[in-house]
Amino acid sequence: MTNETETSVTVLGLGLMGQALAGALLKAGHRTTVWNRTAAKADQLVAEGARLAPTIDDALAASALTIICLTDYSAMHDLLDTSELDGTTLLNLTSGDSAQAREAARWAEQRGARYLDGAIMAIPPALGTAEAVILHSGPQSDFEAHESTLAALGTVTYLGADHGLASLYDVAGLTMMWSVLNAWLQGAAMLKTAGIDAATYAPFAKQMAAGVAEWLPRQAEQIDSGSFTTEVAALETHVRTMEHLIEESERLGVNAELPRLFKAMADRSIAAGHGGEQYPVLIKEFSKP
Ligand code: NAP
């Protein structure tokens, strides 16, 4: 028989993402209690079987696990600073940085609550599918106690005991996203000057992005070992090609800020004596304040 307490979940915050979280939990058959500052946002979920808690304290008491999804951490403090948290387990899926996550963990602990932090690497319509990657950090036993329930939300990943890890992975992943998107747009702008539309360029760009992604595990070995012996191309060889990219961009009349940034960092690394080493030696530049 299902233990009702273990499969009951509360969701605080029913914005676009909170509604998607509660919807996925309901769809998976979990007893779901919801609360939102603007109560009307619960109407659809209530029609689907959710229970609308009349107060925050009622919402917190209703379930073994409370998922928080608000605009930011200060909204969470506004909402919960005067609530009874003793004995609750909170999973905060609100976006923030690692310092906010660690501070929130201390705040929750002082209030007698168990605390997990998390980050949602997905858009609301993907919730409840494997495409929705949800990162978690905090005590492993607290994660494991709710892992099977959380599986209703998507692909659930545990990163480690440090509460800040989910936020750190979140921003690291966003760096990857914006870097690839900006590189794609740079190339699309250049090719447009030759009458090549983005749709024609897209398959080649996709192949390049996927090909470069294949290099990451070997680069990781070099970064982790601190040894950057050149195996395929020295940093100074890259820089000569970066010059072509800058000159071509300027000649075509497209923005050259991004190529100049690539070269400025590589030039500093060469000036520090690393021109004969392999590209990941640039980690030394990225590791500086
Ligand atoms: P949203 O639609 O703007 O919803 C914000 C929620 O926060 C609403 O429930 C709002 O309540 C509540 N709220 C804000 N300030 C509050 C306060 N002082 N007291 C009580 N409630 C307060 O935002 P969202 O898209 O759901 O995003 C929520 C979180 O998920 C954010 O941290 C966001 O970065 C993260 N996220 C979103 C996406 C996405 O694609 N949407 C993707 C990944 C992560 P009211 O309804 O009463 O205004």
Side-chain angles (χ1 to χ4, degrees), residues 13-18 36-38 41 69-71 75 78-79 93-95 120 122-124:
L14 299 175
L16 292 169
M17 188 52 89
N36 194 53
R37 180 178 61 182
T38 309
K41 289 190 188 170
C69 190
L70 301 167
T71 306
D78 286 352
L79 198 59
L93 294 179
T94 301
S95 300
I120 303 170
I123 52 171

mmCIF file with all atom_site columns, all heavy atoms in Angstrom, residues 13-18 36-38 41 69-71 75 78-79 93-95 120 122-124, ligand 1:
data_model
loop_
_atom_site.group_PDB
_atom_site.id
_atom_site.type_symbol
_atom_site.label_atom_id
_atom_site.label_alt_id
_atom_site.label_comp_id
_atom_site.label_asym_id
_atom_site.label_entity_id
_atom_site.label_seq_id
_atom_site.pdbx_PDB_ins_code
_atom_site.Cartn_x
_atom_site.Cartn_y
_atom_site.Cartn_z
_atom_site.occupancy
_atom_site.B_iso_or_equiv
_atom_site.pdbx_formal_charge
_atom_site.auth_seq_id
_atom_site.auth_comp_id
_atom_site.auth_asym_id
_atom_site.auth_atom_id
_atom_site.pdbx_PDB_model_num
ATOM   1   N N   . GLY A 1 13  ? 4.351  28.485 -4.766  1.00 0.00 ? 13  GLY A N   1
ATOM   2   C CA  . GLY A 1 13  ? 4.702  29.300 -5.933  1.00 0.00 ? 13  GLY A CA  1
ATOM   3   C C   . GLY A 1 13  ? 4.131  28.669 -7.178  1.00 0.00 ? 13  GLY A C   1
ATOM   4   O O   . GLY A 1 13  ? 4.558  27.592 -7.587  1.00 0.00 ? 13  GLY A O   1
ATOM   5   N N   . LEU A 1 14  ? 3.126  29.329 -7.756  1.00 0.00 ? 14  LEU A N   1
ATOM   6   C CA  . LEU A 1 14  ? 2.465  28.773 -8.950  1.00 0.00 ? 14  LEU A CA  1
ATOM   7   C C   . LEU A 1 14  ? 2.577  29.743 -10.115 1.00 0.00 ? 14  LEU A C   1
ATOM   8   O O   . LEU A 1 14  ? 1.598  30.081 -10.771 1.00 0.00 ? 14  LEU A O   1
ATOM   9   C CB  . LEU A 1 14  ? 1.000  28.452 -8.648  1.00 0.00 ? 14  LEU A CB  1
ATOM   10  C CG  . LEU A 1 14  ? 0.767  27.420 -7.538  1.00 0.00 ? 14  LEU A CG  1
ATOM   11  C CD1 . LEU A 1 14  ? -0.729 27.276 -7.257  1.00 0.00 ? 14  LEU A CD1 1
ATOM   12  C CD2 . LEU A 1 14  ? 1.371  26.060 -7.903  1.00 0.00 ? 14  LEU A CD2 1
ATOM   13  N N   . GLY A 1 15  ? 3.809  30.210 -10.338 1.00 0.00 ? 15  GLY A N   1
ATOM   14  C CA  . GLY A 1 15  ? 4.068  30.930 -11.585 1.00 0.00 ? 15  GLY A CA  1
ATOM   15  C C   . GLY A 1 15  ? 4.105  29.894 -12.698 1.00 0.00 ? 15  GLY A C   1
ATOM   16  O O   . GLY A 1 15  ? 3.653  28.754 -12.535 1.00 0.00 ? 15  GLY A O   1
ATOM   17  N N   . LEU A 1 16  ? 4.678  30.259 -13.828 1.00 0.00 ? 16  LEU A N   1
ATOM   18  C CA  . LEU A 1 16  ? 4.707  29.344 -14.973 1.00 0.00 ? 16  LEU A CA  1
ATOM   19  C C   . LEU A 1 16  ? 5.395  28.036 -14.604 1.00 0.00 ? 16  LEU A C   1
ATOM   20  O O   . LEU A 1 16  ? 4.924  26.952 -14.939 1.00 0.00 ? 16  LEU A O   1
ATOM   21  C CB  . LEU A 1 16  ? 5.439  30.013 -16.148 1.00 0.00 ? 16  LEU A CB  1
ATOM   22  C CG  . LEU A 1 16  ? 4.689  31.203 -16.743 1.00 0.00 ? 16  LEU A CG  1
ATOM   23  C CD1 . LEU A 1 16  ? 5.581  31.960 -17.713 1.00 0.00 ? 16  LEU A CD1 1
ATOM   24  C CD2 . LEU A 1 16  ? 3.414  30.725 -17.422 1.00 0.00 ? 16  LEU A CD2 1
ATOM   25  N N   . MET A 1 17  ? 6.510  28.133 -13.883 1.00 0.00 ? 17  MET A N   1
ATOM   26  C CA  . MET A 1 17  ? 7.258  26.922 -13.555 1.00 0.00 ? 17  MET A CA  1
ATOM   27  C C   . MET A 1 17  ? 6.599  26.148 -12.418 1.00 0.00 ? 17  MET A C   1
ATOM   28  O O   . MET A 1 17  ? 6.509  24.926 -12.463 1.00 0.00 ? 17  MET A O   1
ATOM   29  C CB  . MET A 1 17  ? 8.709  27.275 -13.197 1.00 0.00 ? 17  MET A CB  1
ATOM   30  C CG  . MET A 1 17  ? 9.590  26.082 -13.030 1.00 0.00 ? 17  MET A CG  1
ATOM   31  S SD  . MET A 1 17  ? 9.534  24.936 -14.448 1.00 0.00 ? 17  MET A SD  1
ATOM   32  C CE  . MET A 1 17  ? 10.819 25.600 -15.482 1.00 0.00 ? 17  MET A CE  1
ATOM   33  N N   . GLY A 1 18  ? 6.126  26.855 -11.380 1.00 0.00 ? 18  GLY A N   1
ATOM   34  C CA  . GLY A 1 18  ? 5.477  26.167 -10.256 1.00 0.00 ? 18  GLY A CA  1
ATOM   35  C C   . GLY A 1 18  ? 4.248  25.389 -10.715 1.00 0.00 ? 18  GLY A C   1
ATOM   36  O O   . GLY A 1 18  ? 4.008  24.259 -10.267 1.00 0.00 ? 18  GLY A O   1
ATOM   37  N N   . ASN A 1 36  ? -0.263 29.653 -3.515  1.00 0.00 ? 36  ASN A N   1
ATOM   38  C CA  . ASN A 1 36  ? 0.326  30.767 -4.259  1.00 0.00 ? 36  ASN A CA  1
ATOM   39  C C   . ASN A 1 36  ? -0.224 32.071 -3.713  1.00 0.00 ? 36  ASN A C   1
ATOM   40  O O   . ASN A 1 36  ? -1.374 32.146 -3.272  1.00 0.00 ? 36  ASN A O   1
ATOM   41  C CB  . ASN A 1 36  ? -0.023 30.646 -5.752  1.00 0.00 ? 36  ASN A CB  1
ATOM   42  C CG  . ASN A 1 36  ? 0.831  31.578 -6.594  1.00 0.00 ? 36  ASN A CG  1
ATOM   43  O OD1 . ASN A 1 36  ? 2.056  31.550 -6.489  1.00 0.00 ? 36  ASN A OD1 1
ATOM   44  N ND2 . ASN A 1 36  ? 0.205  32.400 -7.427  1.00 0.00 ? 36  ASN A ND2 1
ATOM   45  N N   . ARG A 1 37  ? 0.646  33.113 -3.740  1.00 0.00 ? 37  ARG A N   1
ATOM   46  C CA  . ARG A 1 37  ? 0.205  34.428 -3.256  1.00 0.00 ? 37  ARG A CA  1
ATOM   47  C C   . ARG A 1 37  ? -1.071 34.860 -3.986  1.00 0.00 ? 37  ARG A C   1
ATOM   48  O O   . ARG A 1 37  ? -2.020 35.337 -3.375  1.00 0.00 ? 37  ARG A O   1
ATOM   49  C CB  . ARG A 1 37  ? 1.345  35.432 -3.475  1.00 0.00 ? 37  ARG A CB  1
ATOM   50  C CG  . ARG A 1 37  ? 1.041  36.829 -3.037  1.00 0.00 ? 37  ARG A CG  1
ATOM   51  C CD  . ARG A 1 37  ? 2.235  37.731 -3.250  1.00 0.00 ? 37  ARG A CD  1
ATOM   52  N NE  . ARG A 1 37  ? 2.626  37.817 -4.658  1.00 0.00 ? 37  ARG A NE  1
ATOM   53  C CZ  . ARG A 1 37  ? 3.656  38.494 -5.113  1.00 0.00 ? 37  ARG A CZ  1
ATOM   54  N NH1 . ARG A 1 37  ? 4.436  39.141 -4.260  1.00 0.00 ? 37  ARG A NH1 1
ATOM   55  N NH2 . ARG A 1 37  ? 3.942  38.523 -6.404  1.00 0.00 ? 37  ARG A NH2 1
ATOM   56  N N   . THR A 1 38  ? -1.099 34.676 -5.294  1.00 0.00 ? 38  THR A N   1
ATOM   57  C CA  . THR A 1 38  ? -2.298 34.961 -6.083  1.00 0.00 ? 38  THR A CA  1
ATOM   58  C C   . THR A 1 38  ? -3.031 33.634 -6.258  1.00 0.00 ? 38  THR A C   1
ATOM   59  O O   . THR A 1 38  ? -2.679 32.820 -7.116  1.00 0.00 ? 38  THR A O   1
ATOM   60  C CB  . THR A 1 38  ? -1.896 35.549 -7.458  1.00 0.00 ? 38  THR A CB  1
ATOM   61  O OG1 . THR A 1 38  ? -0.997 36.629 -7.240  1.00 0.00 ? 38  THR A OG1 1
ATOM   62  C CG2 . THR A 1 38  ? -3.104 36.019 -8.236  1.00 0.00 ? 38  THR A CG2 1
ATOM   63  N N   . LYS A 1 41  ? -4.222 31.440 -9.470  1.00 0.00 ? 41  LYS A N   1
ATOM   64  C CA  . LYS A 1 41  ? -3.334 30.645 -10.335 1.00 0.00 ? 41  LYS A CA  1
ATOM   65  C C   . LYS A 1 41  ? -3.403 29.150 -10.009 1.00 0.00 ? 41  LYS A C   1
ATOM   66  O O   . LYS A 1 41  ? -2.842 28.335 -10.728 1.00 0.00 ? 41  LYS A O   1
ATOM   67  C CB  . LYS A 1 41  ? -1.890 31.147 -10.229 1.00 0.00 ? 41  LYS A CB  1
ATOM   68  C CG  . LYS A 1 41  ? -1.693 32.503 -10.893 1.00 0.00 ? 41  LYS A CG  1
ATOM   69  C CD  . LYS A 1 41  ? -0.225 32.876 -10.987 1.00 0.00 ? 41  LYS A CD  1
ATOM   70  C CE  . LYS A 1 41  ? -0.070 34.302 -11.472 1.00 0.00 ? 41  LYS A CE  1
ATOM   71  N NZ  . LYS A 1 41  ? 1.317  34.786 -11.352 1.00 0.00 ? 41  LYS A NZ  1
ATOM   72  N N   . CYS A 1 69  ? 9.149  27.307 -5.582  1.00 0.00 ? 69  CYS A N   1
ATOM   73  C CA  . CYS A 1 69  ? 9.541  27.824 -6.898  1.00 0.00 ? 69  CYS A CA  1
ATOM   74  C C   . CYS A 1 69  ? 8.989  29.245 -7.039  1.00 0.00 ? 69  CYS A C   1
ATOM   75  O O   . CYS A 1 69  ? 7.853  29.446 -7.465  1.00 0.00 ? 69  CYS A O   1
ATOM   76  C CB  . CYS A 1 69  ? 9.036  26.914 -8.013  1.00 0.00 ? 69  CYS A CB  1
ATOM   77  S SG  . CYS A 1 69  ? 9.745  27.359 -9.613  1.00 0.00 ? 69  CYS A SG  1
ATOM   78  N N   . LEU A 1 70  ? 9.825  30.207 -6.635  1.00 0.00 ? 70  LEU A N   1
ATOM   79  C CA  . LEU A 1 70  ? 9.411  31.608 -6.628  1.00 0.00 ? 70  LEU A CA  1
ATOM   80  C C   . LEU A 1 70  ? 10.360 32.415 -7.516  1.00 0.00 ? 70  LEU A C   1
ATOM   81  O O   . LEU A 1 70  ? 11.325 31.878 -8.070  1.00 0.00 ? 70  LEU A O   1
ATOM   82  C CB  . LEU A 1 70  ? 9.448  32.137 -5.189  1.00 0.00 ? 70  LEU A CB  1
ATOM   83  C CG  . LEU A 1 70  ? 8.542  31.385 -4.195  1.00 0.00 ? 70  LEU A CG  1
ATOM   84  C CD1 . LEU A 1 70  ? 8.898  31.763 -2.770  1.00 0.00 ? 70  LEU A CD1 1
ATOM   85  C CD2 . LEU A 1 70  ? 7.070  31.653 -4.481  1.00 0.00 ? 70  LEU A CD2 1
ATOM   86  N N   . THR A 1 71  ? 10.101 33.705 -7.615  1.00 0.00 ? 71  THR A N   1
ATOM   87  C CA  . THR A 1 71  ? 10.915 34.553 -8.485  1.00 0.00 ? 71  THR A CA  1
ATOM   88  C C   . THR A 1 71  ? 12.390 34.510 -8.089  1.00 0.00 ? 71  THR A C   1
ATOM   89  O O   . THR A 1 71  ? 13.269 34.353 -8.929  1.00 0.00 ? 71  THR A O   1
ATOM   90  C CB  . THR A 1 71  ? 10.421 36.012 -8.390  1.00 0.00 ? 71  THR A CB  1
ATOM   91  O OG1 . THR A 1 71  ? 9.034  36.012 -8.660  1.00 0.00 ? 71  THR A OG1 1
ATOM   92  C CG2 . THR A 1 71  ? 11.154 36.924 -9.350  1.00 0.00 ? 71  THR A CG2 1
ATOM   93  N N   . ALA A 1 75  ? 12.136 36.438 -2.309  1.00 0.00 ? 75  ALA A N   1
ATOM   94  C CA  . ALA A 1 75  ? 10.700 36.111 -2.228  1.00 0.00 ? 75  ALA A CA  1
ATOM   95  C C   . ALA A 1 75  ? 10.488 34.944 -1.260  1.00 0.00 ? 75  ALA A C   1
ATOM   96  O O   . ALA A 1 75  ? 9.528  34.922 -0.488  1.00 0.00 ? 75  ALA A O   1
ATOM   97  C CB  . ALA A 1 75  ? 10.157 35.769 -3.609  1.00 0.00 ? 75  ALA A CB  1
ATOM   98  N N   . ASP A 1 78  ? 10.782 36.365 2.203   1.00 0.00 ? 78  ASP A N   1
ATOM   99  C CA  . ASP A 1 78  ? 9.559  37.150 2.498   1.00 0.00 ? 78  ASP A CA  1
ATOM   100 C C   . ASP A 1 78  ? 8.437  36.209 2.941   1.00 0.00 ? 78  ASP A C   1
ATOM   101 O O   . ASP A 1 78  ? 7.696  36.488 3.873   1.00 0.00 ? 78  ASP A O   1
ATOM   102 C CB  . ASP A 1 78  ? 9.047  37.873 1.239   1.00 0.00 ? 78  ASP A CB  1
ATOM   103 C CG  . ASP A 1 78  ? 9.898  39.070 0.863   1.00 0.00 ? 78  ASP A CG  1
ATOM   104 O OD1 . ASP A 1 78  ? 10.784 39.436 1.658   1.00 0.00 ? 78  ASP A OD1 1
ATOM   105 O OD2 . ASP A 1 78  ? 9.687  39.606 -0.241  1.00 0.00 ? 78  ASP A OD2 1
ATOM   106 N N   . LEU A 1 79  ? 8.366  35.078 2.219   1.00 0.00 ? 79  LEU A N   1
ATOM   107 C CA  . LEU A 1 79  ? 7.240  34.175 2.415   1.00 0.00 ? 79  LEU A CA  1
ATOM   108 C C   . LEU A 1 79  ? 7.376  33.304 3.668   1.00 0.00 ? 79  LEU A C   1
ATOM   109 O O   . LEU A 1 79  ? 6.416  33.062 4.377   1.00 0.00 ? 79  LEU A O   1
ATOM   110 C CB  . LEU A 1 79  ? 7.159  33.262 1.178   1.00 0.00 ? 79  LEU A CB  1
ATOM   111 C CG  . LEU A 1 79  ? 5.873  32.542 0.926   1.00 0.00 ? 79  LEU A CG  1
ATOM   112 C CD1 . LEU A 1 79  ? 4.737  33.541 0.781   1.00 0.00 ? 79  LEU A CD1 1
ATOM   113 C CD2 . LEU A 1 79  ? 6.008  31.716 -0.355  1.00 0.00 ? 79  LEU A CD2 1
ATOM   114 N N   . LEU A 1 93  ? 13.652 25.133 -5.667  1.00 0.00 ? 93  LEU A N   1
ATOM   115 C CA  . LEU A 1 93  ? 14.002 25.094 -7.092  1.00 0.00 ? 93  LEU A CA  1
ATOM   116 C C   . LEU A 1 93  ? 13.995 26.496 -7.714  1.00 0.00 ? 93  LEU A C   1
ATOM   117 O O   . LEU A 1 93  ? 14.021 26.646 -8.927  1.00 0.00 ? 93  LEU A O   1
ATOM   118 C CB  . LEU A 1 93  ? 13.045 24.167 -7.850  1.00 0.00 ? 93  LEU A CB  1
ATOM   119 C CG  . LEU A 1 93  ? 13.129 22.681 -7.470  1.00 0.00 ? 93  LEU A CG  1
ATOM   120 C CD1 . LEU A 1 93  ? 12.125 21.857 -8.274  1.00 0.00 ? 93  LEU A CD1 1
ATOM   121 C CD2 . LEU A 1 93  ? 14.540 22.137 -7.697  1.00 0.00 ? 93  LEU A CD2 1
ATOM   122 N N   . THR A 1 94  ? 13.996 27.506 -6.861  1.00 0.00 ? 94  THR A N   1
ATOM   123 C CA  . THR A 1 94  ? 14.083 28.895 -7.325  1.00 0.00 ? 94  THR A CA  1
ATOM   124 C C   . THR A 1 94  ? 15.494 29.150 -7.844  1.00 0.00 ? 94  THR A C   1
ATOM   125 O O   . THR A 1 94  ? 16.469 28.719 -7.236  1.00 0.00 ? 94  THR A O   1
ATOM   126 C CB  . THR A 1 94  ? 13.798 29.824 -6.116  1.00 0.00 ? 94  THR A CB  1
ATOM   127 O OG1 . THR A 1 94  ? 12.502 29.508 -5.613  1.00 0.00 ? 94  THR A OG1 1
ATOM   128 C CG2 . THR A 1 94  ? 13.902 31.285 -6.475  1.00 0.00 ? 94  THR A CG2 1
ATOM   129 N N   . SER A 1 95  ? 15.625 29.876 -8.951  1.00 0.00 ? 95  SER A N   1
ATOM   130 C CA  . SER A 1 95  ? 16.966 30.173 -9.489  1.00 0.00 ? 95  SER A CA  1
ATOM   131 C C   . SER A 1 95  ? 17.703 31.166 -8.589  1.00 0.00 ? 95  SER A C   1
ATOM   132 O O   . SER A 1 95  ? 17.105 32.119 -8.090  1.00 0.00 ? 95  SER A O   1
ATOM   133 C CB  . SER A 1 95  ? 16.869 30.802 -10.880 1.00 0.00 ? 95  SER A CB  1
ATOM   134 O OG  . SER A 1 95  ? 16.217 29.936 -11.760 1.00 0.00 ? 95  SER A OG  1
ATOM   135 N N   . ILE A 1 120 ? 16.441 24.092 -12.201 1.00 0.00 ? 120 ILE A N   1
ATOM   136 C CA  . ILE A 1 120 ? 15.661 23.470 -13.284 1.00 0.00 ? 120 ILE A CA  1
ATOM   137 C C   . ILE A 1 120 ? 16.279 23.875 -14.617 1.00 0.00 ? 120 ILE A C   1
ATOM   138 O O   . ILE A 1 120 ? 16.298 25.054 -14.961 1.00 0.00 ? 120 ILE A O   1
ATOM   139 C CB  . ILE A 1 120 ? 14.195 23.949 -13.230 1.00 0.00 ? 120 ILE A CB  1
ATOM   140 C CG1 . ILE A 1 120 ? 13.583 23.635 -11.859 1.00 0.00 ? 120 ILE A CG1 1
ATOM   141 C CG2 . ILE A 1 120 ? 13.375 23.310 -14.345 1.00 0.00 ? 120 ILE A CG2 1
ATOM   142 C CD1 . ILE A 1 120 ? 12.229 24.284 -11.624 1.00 0.00 ? 120 ILE A CD1 1
ATOM   143 N N   . ALA A 1 122 ? 15.270 23.502 -17.713 1.00 0.00 ? 122 ALA A N   1
ATOM   144 C CA  . ALA A 1 122 ? 14.207 23.175 -18.672 1.00 0.00 ? 122 ALA A CA  1
ATOM   145 C C   . ALA A 1 122 ? 13.188 24.303 -18.693 1.00 0.00 ? 122 ALA A C   1
ATOM   146 O O   . ALA A 1 122 ? 13.161 25.150 -17.799 1.00 0.00 ? 122 ALA A O   1
ATOM   147 C CB  . ALA A 1 122 ? 13.508 21.878 -18.258 1.00 0.00 ? 122 ALA A CB  1
ATOM   148 N N   . ILE A 1 123 ? 12.340 24.278 -19.723 1.00 0.00 ? 123 ILE A N   1
ATOM   149 C CA  . ILE A 1 123 ? 11.223 25.219 -19.791 1.00 0.00 ? 123 ILE A CA  1
ATOM   150 C C   . ILE A 1 123 ? 9.960  24.492 -19.302 1.00 0.00 ? 123 ILE A C   1
ATOM   151 O O   . ILE A 1 123 ? 9.907  23.263 -19.332 1.00 0.00 ? 123 ILE A O   1
ATOM   152 C CB  . ILE A 1 123 ? 11.035 25.771 -21.227 1.00 0.00 ? 123 ILE A CB  1
ATOM   153 C CG1 . ILE A 1 123 ? 10.942 24.621 -22.241 1.00 0.00 ? 123 ILE A CG1 1
ATOM   154 C CG2 . ILE A 1 123 ? 12.163 26.728 -21.585 1.00 0.00 ? 123 ILE A CG2 1
ATOM   155 C CD1 . ILE A 1 123 ? 10.547 25.071 -23.634 1.00 0.00 ? 123 ILE A CD1 1
ATOM   156 N N   . PRO A 1 124 ? 8.949  25.252 -18.835 1.00 0.00 ? 124 PRO A N   1
ATOM   157 C CA  . PRO A 1 124 ? 7.788  24.597 -18.215 1.00 0.00 ? 124 PRO A CA  1
ATOM   158 C C   . PRO A 1 124 ? 7.146  23.470 -19.019 1.00 0.00 ? 124 PRO A C   1
ATOM   159 O O   . PRO A 1 124 ? 6.839  22.414 -18.432 1.00 0.00 ? 124 PRO A O   1
ATOM   160 C CB  . PRO A 1 124 ? 6.830  25.771 -17.957 1.00 0.00 ? 124 PRO A CB  1
ATOM   161 C CG  . PRO A 1 124 ? 7.740  26.949 -17.759 1.00 0.00 ? 124 PRO A CG  1
ATOM   162 C CD  . PRO A 1 124 ? 8.884  26.734 -18.709 1.00 0.00 ? 124 PRO A CD  1
HETATM 163 P P1  . NAP B 2 .   ? 6.834  33.577 -12.605 1.00 0.00 ? 1   NAP B P1  1
HETATM 164 O O1  . NAP B 2 .   ? 5.851  33.002 -13.564 1.00 0.00 ? 1   NAP B O1  1
HETATM 165 O O2  . NAP B 2 .   ? 7.140  35.019 -12.677 1.00 0.00 ? 1   NAP B O2  1
HETATM 166 O O3  . NAP B 2 .   ? 6.332  33.206 -11.117 1.00 0.00 ? 1   NAP B O3  1
HETATM 167 C C1  . NAP B 2 .   ? 6.916  33.784 -9.982  1.00 0.00 ? 1   NAP B C1  1
HETATM 168 C C2  . NAP B 2 .   ? 6.268  33.194 -8.741  1.00 0.00 ? 1   NAP B C2  1
HETATM 169 O O4  . NAP B 2 .   ? 6.852  33.780 -7.573  1.00 0.00 ? 1   NAP B O4  1
HETATM 170 C C3  . NAP B 2 .   ? 4.758  33.441 -8.637  1.00 0.00 ? 1   NAP B C3  1
HETATM 171 O O5  . NAP B 2 .   ? 4.162  32.320 -8.028  1.00 0.00 ? 1   NAP B O5  1
HETATM 172 C C4  . NAP B 2 .   ? 4.692  34.667 -7.721  1.00 0.00 ? 1   NAP B C4  1
HETATM 173 O O6  . NAP B 2 .   ? 3.479  34.790 -7.047  1.00 0.00 ? 1   NAP B O6  1
HETATM 174 C C5  . NAP B 2 .   ? 5.800  34.292 -6.741  1.00 0.00 ? 1   NAP B C5  1
HETATM 175 N N1  . NAP B 2 .   ? 6.311  35.411 -5.936  1.00 0.00 ? 1   NAP B N1  1
HETATM 176 C C6  . NAP B 2 .   ? 7.184  36.373 -6.332  1.00 0.00 ? 1   NAP B C6  1
HETATM 177 N N2  . NAP B 2 .   ? 7.462  37.199 -5.312  1.00 0.00 ? 1   NAP B N2  1
HETATM 178 C C7  . NAP B 2 .   ? 6.771  36.737 -4.233  1.00 0.00 ? 1   NAP B C7  1
HETATM 179 C C8  . NAP B 2 .   ? 6.640  37.153 -2.883  1.00 0.00 ? 1   NAP B C8  1
HETATM 180 N N3  . NAP B 2 .   ? 7.319  38.222 -2.422  1.00 0.00 ? 1   NAP B N3  1
HETATM 181 N N4  . NAP B 2 .   ? 5.848  36.439 -2.066  1.00 0.00 ? 1   NAP B N4  1
HETATM 182 C C9  . NAP B 2 .   ? 5.168  35.358 -2.521  1.00 0.00 ? 1   NAP B C9  1
HETATM 183 N N5  . NAP B 2 .   ? 5.229  34.915 -3.795  1.00 0.00 ? 1   NAP B N5  1
HETATM 184 C C10 . NAP B 2 .   ? 6.025  35.591 -4.643  1.00 0.00 ? 1   NAP B C10 1
HETATM 185 O O7  . NAP B 2 .   ? 8.241  32.821 -12.725 1.00 0.00 ? 1   NAP B O7  1
HETATM 186 P P2  . NAP B 2 .   ? 8.533  31.300 -13.167 1.00 0.00 ? 1   NAP B P2  1
HETATM 187 O O8  . NAP B 2 .   ? 8.781  31.248 -14.624 1.00 0.00 ? 1   NAP B O8  1
HETATM 188 O O9  . NAP B 2 .   ? 7.502  30.407 -12.558 1.00 0.00 ? 1   NAP B O9  1
HETATM 189 O O10 . NAP B 2 .   ? 9.937  31.089 -12.467 1.00 0.00 ? 1   NAP B O10 1
HETATM 190 C C11 . NAP B 2 .   ? 10.044 30.712 -11.099 1.00 0.00 ? 1   NAP B C11 1
HETATM 191 C C12 . NAP B 2 .   ? 11.489 30.293 -10.842 1.00 0.00 ? 1   NAP B C12 1
HETATM 192 O O11 . NAP B 2 .   ? 11.826 29.218 -11.727 1.00 0.00 ? 1   NAP B O11 1
HETATM 193 C C13 . NAP B 2 .   ? 12.496 31.422 -11.119 1.00 0.00 ? 1   NAP B C13 1
HETATM 194 O O12 . NAP B 2 .   ? 13.513 31.404 -10.164 1.00 0.00 ? 1   NAP B O12 1
HETATM 195 C C14 . NAP B 2 .   ? 13.014 31.051 -12.512 1.00 0.00 ? 1   NAP B C14 1
HETATM 196 O O13 . NAP B 2 .   ? 14.334 31.562 -12.758 1.00 0.00 ? 1   NAP B O13 1
HETATM 197 C C15 . NAP B 2 .   ? 13.011 29.538 -12.431 1.00 0.00 ? 1   NAP B C15 1
HETATM 198 N N6  . NAP B 2 .   ? 13.016 28.932 -13.765 1.00 0.00 ? 1   NAP B N6  1
HETATM 199 C C16 . NAP B 2 .   ? 12.073 29.273 -14.669 1.00 0.00 ? 1   NAP B C16 1
HETATM 200 C C17 . NAP B 2 .   ? 12.132 28.747 -15.955 1.00 0.00 ? 1   NAP B C17 1
HETATM 201 C C18 . NAP B 2 .   ? 11.113 29.116 -16.999 1.00 0.00 ? 1   NAP B C18 1
HETATM 202 O O14 . NAP B 2 .   ? 11.329 28.785 -18.188 1.00 0.00 ? 1   NAP B O14 1
HETATM 203 N N7  . NAP B 2 .   ? 10.004 29.740 -16.647 1.00 0.00 ? 1   NAP B N7  1
HETATM 204 C C19 . NAP B 2 .   ? 13.173 27.845 -16.294 1.00 0.00 ? 1   NAP B C19 1
HETATM 205 C C20 . NAP B 2 .   ? 14.110 27.486 -15.324 1.00 0.00 ? 1   NAP B C20 1
HETATM 206 C C21 . NAP B 2 .   ? 14.034 28.037 -14.059 1.00 0.00 ? 1   NAP B C21 1
HETATM 207 P P3  . NAP B 2 .   ? 2.235  35.555 -7.752  1.00 0.00 ? 1   NAP B P3  1
HETATM 208 O O15 . NAP B 2 .   ? 1.669  34.574 -8.736  1.00 0.00 ? 1   NAP B O15 1
HETATM 209 O O16 . NAP B 2 .   ? 1.339  35.888 -6.648  1.00 0.00 ? 1   NAP B O16 1
HETATM 210 O O17 . NAP B 2 .   ? 2.824  36.774 -8.452  1.00 0.00 ? 1   NAP B O17 1
#
